[in-house]
Amino acid sequence: SRAGMVLSVLVILLLSMLYEAVKMGKAVLLRRALLALPRSLSRESLAEPEEGGTGPAQGSCIFFPIFFHRWFRYHVGQTLFHVVQVVLGYMVMLAVMSYNAWIFLGAIAGSTLGYFV
């Protein structure tokens, strides 16, 4: 029916827009993850200060520095965004593979609008 086709095209349009939004979110998380890394990986910048001390801990080996925890959280977020992006991409691809011109145009319009927004 016409209503079903319009609804299908609208859903594909929204899925395509969401795909572009997830792609942008993944790029933002990558930028934040890179900013969370220290500029210098010298031993002094990686060592945690001792309690009550003002300088870096002498002779301590830190396996998971604080910056690593922040970077790891961003990396987990990027991984989740990637999974959502792949699932959305395959869903839109499967819809386009129905060889329906209106569905195809909905995917193109959604991708265009999503990128523009």
Side-chain angles (χ1 to χ4, degrees), residues 59-101:
S60 65
C61 178
I62 299 167
F63 187 69
F64 291 110
I66 292 175
F67 77 87
F68 180 77
H69 293 293
R70 279 186 279 152
W71 176 83
F72 185 74
R73 281 188 283 155
Y74 287 127
H75 190 64
V76 168
Q78 283 181 309
T79 302
L80 294 175
F81 268 89
H82 179 74
V83 169
V84 170
Q85 183 183 4
V86 168
V87 168
L88 287 172
Y90 277 117
M91 287 173 63
V92 171
M93 181 196 64
L94 286 173
V96 168
M97 292 302 289
S98 69
Y99 299 108
N100 185 314

Side-chain angles (χ1 to χ4, degrees), residues 4-17 102-103 106:
M5 180 55 72
V6 169
L7 184 63
S8 296
V9 171
L10 184 63
V11 166
I12 295 303
L13 187 132
L14 292 174
L15 283 176
S16 296
M17 287 180 70
W102 293 108
I103 298 289

